């Protein structure tokens, strides 16, 4: 059964309407804009990965907040960003720097969404990225010189900035915003790639007179969160941009925002040219747990009850993967990626949450998973060969105390405090698993002492690459989950590995560098992680030359 | 002021009531989210529990923040006595050896720290909210007041002449309605028309230039875009007589603009 799968997958891949495989380049944040994080390269495969060797390493020179990025590769040149908005163009074959651009941030950022960055977008002769002080910047792709920049909003006023990578669609660069844990009203903005002029904006919280506005009590819509802090996907056939929207604010205290609170914790599908809403699917109405729907939107096609469907998979921070029809937002299925989940009892066949277990105001209450999620933001991977989805899960809980809180412009807006706690069942820790993306059937599980906080990369060599907090970068057999190769990089992993090819040679690249908001929380459950060494190094691997 | 506060700290043994007060403020302002964690047990920010810091250091860092870090300056957000209470509380955590903090970190019924977002008179509050209103194409995407907002032009706190008249402090304040109509009608001598070699033309403010390049704010839409050009790519920069504020303030009604004017006048003159 398992042995036959890979071969069958090859055939099926050719029939896919949207091919999300990367080849020589890694052109977008999620590989291609369907967010598969899958490379069709197979030079490095199950039989030879054991001989994989480091080819070169690159130091960003600024060690702060972890190395959280996905590098991009276009025509043999790698573009990568690191903390404090350092951007580099590197010869992807040799590791030699071509140019660098160090954005001048103010000395004090003073908001919690810093100093990490998750990546850049490349296209139209430019390199685009968002900054810690809430600017969008376009650099000349060849020289690294600034061409335009636009300050989206005063970060001191909004308590928001940009840490996610932009998404390039036709002549627009689409950029999200943080601020889901601040008194802020979220949005998604598209800018003209040539001039930087705003092309459209979609508010993730409808204003007065707009449909959905009545899902917010009183003035709560003005500070209701709905951040778009990661990167969306794009289906060129449907011309739809998909973006996951974050939690409602205040995170834990919901009494002041009675209602379902659209479009927080929702997948939104927008017309790429106009930014108009085509459909939405809300995973968690009236969120009081900080369970974002902000993670990646994986676009894949698969049969459902025998009929081929265009689907979208999104892992919610609450620990459930939601699958919807990406043409219309119809609910298909939901399945858990973590075992310790007590905020709901389940999801019914229509997508309704069953048995909501809301923390009461003023009392300390155990919620599972913790605010860190049944999975973290780092992205899963879909392989068209196995037709499986590879993603992590985390087993942990928290003691949360909900308190009433008034919104204050520019400041945090949590509505409570939390403390990590061990899970109800089994030890605290993480795992990486292979699933049928529609049914959630689990094929294998790789256990980890600590939560796995790096993204997955799958390849046509039937490998799954990822890293762990202790600094190991490793490859698993995509079919069996068996560990085939391991390389200690010396600092924990919070970024996203990629694969690319230059002059016919396949490379695998990964950022290594412990840090980030979540890494800072880990000592509450694992005290020894407080001393895990930070870093900011890009490691690149290849097979040794044949002799 | 700092010296005085330090003196006070040195002299006063940490009283339980001060520490308790600091604990509440800490729970509300410092432990939240990804910062120092409940009872200083670590978060995105460093662990404070079980560590020894000098009170001078704690006071400086709490008041002024840490440059190039996520630690903000709390002066202006918390009162001096509140900052001192937080310092006393954090100092008291040095002897905490239990990794697990109290089960209930914030007693029920405790409200949020009272940090007013606007401290001016009530009659200016409406205009302040409108000036920064994130729900519309607002003034603060091009203008700053008191250091808040995006200042591609001068901080409006300094616009005394426009708001009061040619001889400040001696003449009566201009009528808000009159100023509002002025905001609508006026152009600006600073606004230029930029013509590029490509044929593109747009209203612009000059941001900076040197011998090789020109930086212009493109005012075609908001927010303004700072664009960088090689000198040879800019054919001409001429005064733009056609540009009017009116095209950019249509998200505000006339009466709302009057409220904004009241706020700006208070910000510039204190009355």
């Amino acid at each position: 059964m398992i042995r036959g799968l890979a071969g069958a997958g090859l055939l099926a891949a050719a029939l896919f309407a949207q091919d999300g495989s990367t080849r020589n380049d890694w052109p977008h944040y999620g590989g291609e804009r369907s967010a598969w994080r899958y490379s069709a390269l197979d030079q490095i495969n199950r039989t030879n990965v054991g001989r994989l060797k480091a080819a070169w390493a690159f130091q960003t020179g600024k060690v702060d907040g972890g190395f959280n990025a996905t590098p991009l590769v276009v025509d043999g040149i790698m573009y990568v960003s690191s903390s404090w908005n350092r951007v580099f163009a590197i010869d992807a074959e040799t590791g030699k720097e071509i140019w660098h651009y160090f954005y001048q941030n103010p000395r004090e950022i003073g908001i919690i969404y810093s100093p990490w960055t998750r990546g850049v977008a490349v296209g139209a002769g430019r390199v685009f990225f968002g900054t810690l002080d809430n600017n969008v910047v376009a650099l000349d792709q060849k020289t690294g010189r600034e061409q335009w920049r636009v300050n989206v909003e005063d970060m001191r006023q909004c308590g928001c900035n940009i840490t996610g990578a932009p998404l390039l669609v036709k002549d627009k660069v689409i950029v999200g915003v943080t601020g889901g844990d601040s008194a802020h009203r979220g949005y998604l903005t598209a800018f003209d790639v040539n001039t930087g002029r705003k092309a459209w904006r979609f508010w993730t919280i409808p204003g007065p007179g707009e449909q959905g506005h009545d899902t917010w009590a009183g003035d709560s819509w003005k500070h209701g969160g709905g951040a778009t802090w990661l990167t969306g996907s794009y289906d060129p056939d449907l011309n739809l941009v998909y973006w996951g929207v974050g939690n409602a604010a205040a995170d834990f205290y919901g009494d002041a925002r009675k209602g379902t609170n659209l479009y927080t914790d929702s997948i939104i599908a927008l017309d790429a040219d106009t930014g108009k809403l085509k459909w939405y699917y809300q995973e968690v109405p009236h969120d009081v747990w900080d369970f974002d729907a902000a993670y990646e939107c994986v676009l894949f096609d698969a049969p459902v009850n025998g009929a081929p469907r265009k689907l979208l998979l999104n892992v919610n921070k609450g620990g459930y993967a939601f699958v919807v029809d990406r043409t219309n937002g119809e609910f298909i299925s939901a399945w858990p990626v973590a075992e310790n989940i007590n905020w709901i009892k389940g999801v019914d066949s229509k997508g309704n949450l069953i048995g909501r277990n809301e923390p009461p105001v003023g009392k300390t209450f155990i919620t599972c998973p913790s605010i860190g999620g049944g999975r973290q933001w780092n992205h899963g991977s879909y392989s068209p060969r196995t037709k499986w989805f590879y993603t992590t899960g985390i087993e942990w809980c928290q003691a949360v105390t909900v308190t009433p809180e008034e919104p204050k412009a520019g400041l945090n807006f949590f509505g409570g405090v939390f403390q990590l706690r061990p899970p109800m069942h089994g030890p605290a820790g993480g795992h990486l698993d292979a699933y049928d993306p529609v049914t959630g059937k689990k094929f294998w599980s790789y256990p980890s002492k600590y939560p796995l906080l790096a993204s997955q990369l799958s390849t046509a060599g039937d490998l799954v690459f990822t890293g762990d907090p202790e600094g190991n970068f490793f490859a698993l057999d995509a079919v069996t989950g068996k560990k085939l190769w391991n390389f200690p990089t010396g600092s924990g992993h919070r970024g996203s590995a990629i694969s690319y090819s230059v002059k016919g040679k396949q490379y695998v690249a990964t950022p290594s560098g412990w840090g980030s908001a979540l890494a800072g929380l880990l000592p509450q459950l694992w005290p020894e992680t407080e001393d895990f060494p930070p870093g900011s190094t890009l490691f690149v691997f290849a097979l040794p030359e044949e002799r | 002021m700092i010296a005085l506060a330090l003196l006070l700290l040195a002299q006063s043994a940490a009283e339980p009531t001060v520490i308790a007060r600091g604990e509440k403020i800490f729970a509300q302002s410092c432990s939240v989210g990804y910062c120092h964690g409940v009872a200083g047990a670590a978060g995105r920010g460093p662990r404070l529990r079980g560590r020894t810091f000098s009170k001078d250091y704690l006071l400086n860092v709490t008041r002024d923040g840490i440059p190039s870090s996520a630690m903000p300056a709390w002066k202006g957000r918390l009162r001096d006595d509140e900052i001192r209470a937080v310092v006393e509380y954090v100092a008291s955590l040095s002897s905490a050896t239990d990794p697990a903090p109290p089960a209930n970190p914030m007693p029920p019924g405790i409200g949020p720290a009272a940090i007013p977002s606007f401290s001016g008179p009530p009659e200016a509050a409406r205009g302040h909210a409108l000036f920064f209103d994130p729900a519309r194409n607002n003034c603060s995407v091009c203008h700053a007041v008191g250091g808040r907002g995006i200042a591609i032009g001068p901080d409006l706190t300094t616009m005394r002449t426009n708001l009061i008249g040619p001889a400040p402090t001696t003449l009566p304040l201009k009528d808000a309605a009159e100023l509002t109509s002025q905001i609508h009608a006026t152009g600006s001598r600073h606004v230029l028309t930029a013509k590029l070699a490509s044929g593109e033309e747009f209203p612009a403010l000059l941001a900076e230039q040197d011998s090789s390049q020109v930086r212009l704010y493109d005012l075609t839409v908001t927010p303004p875009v700072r664009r960088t050009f090689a000198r040879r790519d800019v054919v001409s920069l001429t005064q733009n007589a056609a540009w009017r504020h009116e095209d950019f303030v249509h998200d505000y009604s006339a009466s709302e603009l009057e409220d904004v004017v009241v706020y700006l006048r208070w910000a510039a003159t204190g009355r």
Side-chain angles (χ1 to χ4, degrees):
Chain A
M1 158 73 194
I2 285 178
R3 208 179 307 149
L5 257 170
L10 262 181
L11 257 181
L15 303 174
F16 269 66
Q18 180 161 11
D19 183 2
S21 313
T22 63
R23 290 178 172 77
N24 292 342
D25 290 352
W26 189 278
H28 297 281
Y29 179 73
E32 287 294 341
R33 286 170 296 184
S34 45
W36 287 5
R37 292 183 177 268
Y38 168 81
S39 167
L41 301 174
D42 61 1
Q43 201 175 79
I44 301 165
N45 54 50
R46 285 190 284 181
T47 59
N48 62 20
V49 68
R51 297 193 287 119
L52 205 56
K53 294 277 185 279
W56 51 268
F58 185 88
Q59 304 284 356
T60 72
K62 180 85 174 173
V63 177
D64 188 15
F67 195 177
N68 289 215
T70 299
L72 304 191
V73 173
V74 178
D75 295 333
I77 297 174
M78 179 182 290
Y79 303 89
V80 65
S81 66
S82 67
S83 290
W84 291 95
N85 298 122
R86 292 186 162 205
V87 183
F88 303 88
I90 305 164
D91 184 319
E93 184 188 7
T94 64
K96 187 172 187 294
E97 181 185 301
I98 296 167
W99 54 256
H100 70 257
Y101 175 91
F102 295 171
Y103 181 79
Q104 292 300 306
N105 275 294
R107 280 170 63 77
E108 189 199 317
I109 298 295
I111 56 178
I112 58 178
Y113 322 101
S114 66
W116 48 84
T117 69
R118 297 188 178 87
V120 301
V122 175
R126 297 180 178 86
V127 176
F128 305 94
F129 63 98
T131 72
L132 300 180
D133 69 348
N134 211 21
N135 278 257
V136 178
V137 181
L139 306 179
D140 183 305
Q141 188 180 341
K142 285 203 170 67
T143 64
R145 292 209 182 104
E146 183 190 310
Q147 291 198 339
W148 57 258
R149 77 177 213 206
V150 54
N151 193 348
V152 184
E153 218 181 339
D154 181 350
M155 65 161 179
R156 295 159 300 180
Q157 192 65 28
C158 68
C160 72
N161 63 358
I162 306 162
T163 56
L167 181 72
L168 195 71
V169 176
K170 296 193 263 191
D171 60 347
K172 296 181 180 68
V173 58
I174 304 172
V175 187
V177 66
T178 66
D181 308 317
S182 309
H184 184 239
R185 178 189 180 209
Y187 47 74
L188 192 63
T189 316
F191 300 90
D192 181 286
V193 291
N194 297 306
T195 64
R197 290 174 193 154
K198 184 171 73 182
W200 52 255
R201 164 166 292 178
F202 179 80
W203 293 95
T204 57
I205 299 178
E210 291 179 320
Q211 194 165 6
H213 181 66
D214 59 0
T215 64
W216 295 85
D219 279 346
S220 61
W221 63 279
K222 288 183 177 173
H223 304 104
T228 49
W229 53 282
L230 289 165
T231 303
S233 297
Y234 175 62
D235 183 332
D237 294 333
L238 298 169
N239 196 36
L240 290 178
V241 169
Y242 304 96
W243 216 283
V245 182
N247 61 286
D251 297 48
F252 303 125
Y253 178 65
D255 287 1
R257 51 173 170 82
K258 290 198 190 320
T260 55
N261 304 148
L262 294 174
Y263 300 99
T264 61
D265 292 359
S266 301
I267 303 302
I268 51 172
L270 307 180
D271 181 295
D273 301 319
T274 64
K276 293 274 182 292
L277 183 70
K278 178 82 182 293
W279 58 258
Y280 72 91
Y281 181 82
Q282 189 176 41
E283 296 169 1
V284 185
H286 191 72
D287 177 10
V288 287
W289 302 275
D290 186 14
F291 285 162
D292 298 61
Y295 300 168
E296 75 277 8
C297 295
V298 182
L299 313 185
F300 69 107
D301 298 353
V304 176
N305 299 327
R309 299 286 288 265
K310 290 173 180 288
L311 302 174
L312 180 155
L313 180 150
N314 171 260
V315 179
N316 183 280
K317 206 179 183 190
Y320 271 82
F322 284 81
V323 183
V324 299
D325 183 320
R326 75 172 179 275
T327 67
N328 57 17
E330 181 192 334
F331 175 82
I332 301 290
S333 64
W335 45 270
V337 301
E339 285 165 25
N340 286 280
I341 295 176
N342 78 349
W343 63 281
I344 48 172
K345 289 198 164 59
V347 182
D348 75 12
S349 62
K350 293 198 169 64
N352 300 308
L353 307 182
I354 308 165
R356 289 168 66 107
N357 190 19
E358 298 189 14
V361 175
K363 289 198 174 72
T364 298
F365 195 74
I366 300 294
T367 292
C368 314
S370 82
I371 189 174
R375 197 200 88 178
Q376 250 293 293
W377 63 262
N378 297 72
H379 311 295
S381 175
Y382 173 77
S383 165
R385 284 176 60 85
T386 56
K387 293 194 271 187
W388 293 347
F389 182 60
Y390 303 92
T391 190
T392 54
I394 309 176
E395 307 302 332
W396 55 4
C397 301
Q398 70 185 2
V400 62
T401 308
V402 182
T403 48
E405 185 169 338
E406 294 288 330
K408 294 174 287 287
L411 295 182
N412 295 343
F413 191 35
F414 279 91
V417 292
F418 63 90
Q419 175 73 15
L420 298 182
R421 290 292 162 86
M424 306 171 288
H425 312 293
H431 39 88
L432 167 59
D433 313 281
Y435 295 101
D436 179 310
V438 178
T439 66
K441 183 183 175 190
K442 193 188 287 190
F443 297 101
W444 54 254
S445 185
Y446 170 87
S448 168
K449 180 179 179 186
Y450 303 108
L452 293 166
L453 302 177
S455 301
Q456 284 69 58
L457 160 72
S458 66
T459 72
D462 285 331
L463 298 168
V464 176
F465 289 89
T466 197
D468 69 24
E470 293 174 276
N472 298 297
F473 184 60
F474 54 95
L476 304 182
D477 185 317
V479 178
T480 66
K482 188 184 166 202
K483 194 183 232 182
L484 301 176
W485 174 80
N486 185 77
F487 183 93
T489 63
S491 181
H493 289 251
R494 272 247 67 179
S496 306
I498 64 160
S499 188
Y500 62 93
S501 164
V502 184
K503 296 178 188 165
K505 186 170 188 172
Q506 184 185 358
Y507 297 86
V508 173
T510 186
S512 160
W514 188 236
S516 71
L518 248 287
L521 287 178
L522 256 50
Q524 293 186 9
L525 278 180
W526 299 274
E528 68 276 19
T529 61
E530 184 175 313
D531 297 328
F532 279 15
S536 190
T537 308
L538 187 89
F539 284 89
V540 178
F541 303 92
L543 293 170
E545 299 292 335
E546 300 286 345
R547 287 178 194 272
Chain B
M1 188 62 213
I2 293 176
L4 179 63
L6 285 174
L7 196 63
L8 286 171
L9 276 175
Q11 286 176 344
S12 65
E15 289 178 27
T17 51
V18 174
I19 292 175
R21 187 165 143 69
E23 181 179 3
K24 282 177 192 162
I25 298 165
F26 186 91
Q28 291 152 350
S29 299
C30 314
S31 72
V32 291
Y34 301 136
C35 296
H36 293 290
V38 171
R44 153 64 187 144
R47 172 174 60 88
L48 305 174
R49 199 169 180 78
R51 283 190 171 163
T52 305
F53 303 94
S54 82
K55 286 184 188 176
D56 296 2
Y57 174 77
L58 290 174
L59 182 70
N60 289 339
V61 163
T62 309
R63 284 181 58 100
D64 302 329
I66 300 177
S68 301
S69 85
M71 177 66 191
W74 285 92
K75 66 180 177 219
R77 304 188 196 203
L78 294 176
R79 293 193 308 268
D80 268 2
D81 61 313
E82 291 175 321
I83 289 175
R84 274 167 39 218
V86 168
V87 167
E88 289 296 348
Y89 168 65
V90 173
S92 78
L93 294 175
S94 65
S95 58
T97 50
D98 52 326
N104 192 345
M106 198 188 301
I110 299 297
I115 307 173
S117 52
F118 179 66
S119 54
E123 60 270 23
R126 211 162 46 217
H128 170 267
L130 287 164
F131 188 91
F132 292 105
D133 186 357
R136 56 181 108 201
N137 201 15
N138 67 61
C139 312
S140 70
V141 299
C142 297
H143 296 292
V145 171
R148 285 273 169 123
I150 298 164
I152 69 163
D155 189 313
L156 296 184
T157 318
T158 63
M159 301 286 275
R160 293 175 63 95
T161 307
N162 287 356
L163 295 162
I164 303 168
T169 73
T170 55
L171 290 175
L173 293 176
K174 277 189 183 174
D175 178 57
E178 181 197 333
L179 276 164
T180 302
S181 69
Q182 276 184 22
I183 288 178
H184 261 281
T186 45
S188 165
R189 63 194 164 86
H190 299 293
V191 177
L192 307 170
T193 298
K195 275 189 193 164
L196 305 183
S198 64
E200 192 188 342
E201 217 177 289
F202 58 87
L205 279 177
L206 182 62
E208 57 189 51
Q209 58 179 331
D210 60 26
S211 56
S212 63
Q213 63 182 26
V214 182
R215 286 203 154 131
L216 301 168
Y217 285 109
D218 180 340
L219 305 182
T220 307
V221 297
T222 58
V225 186
R226 194 182 84 170
R227 299 171 65 183
T228 304
F229 301 98
R231 284 199 83 90
R232 63 176 179 279
D233 292 335
V234 181
V235 175
S236 67
L237 289 171
T238 52
Q239 191 138 356
N240 184 330
W243 189 88
R244 287 287 176 275
H245 230 142
E246 191 170 8
D247 300 332
F248 295 88
V249 296
H250 47 61
D251 271 20
Y252 294 91
S253 69
S255 71
E256 285 176 336
L257 276 180
E258 284 185 30
D259 288 335
V260 170
V261 166
V262 169
Y263 162 61
L264 293 178
R265 192 163 59 196
W266 168 79
T269 68
R271 59 191 169 124

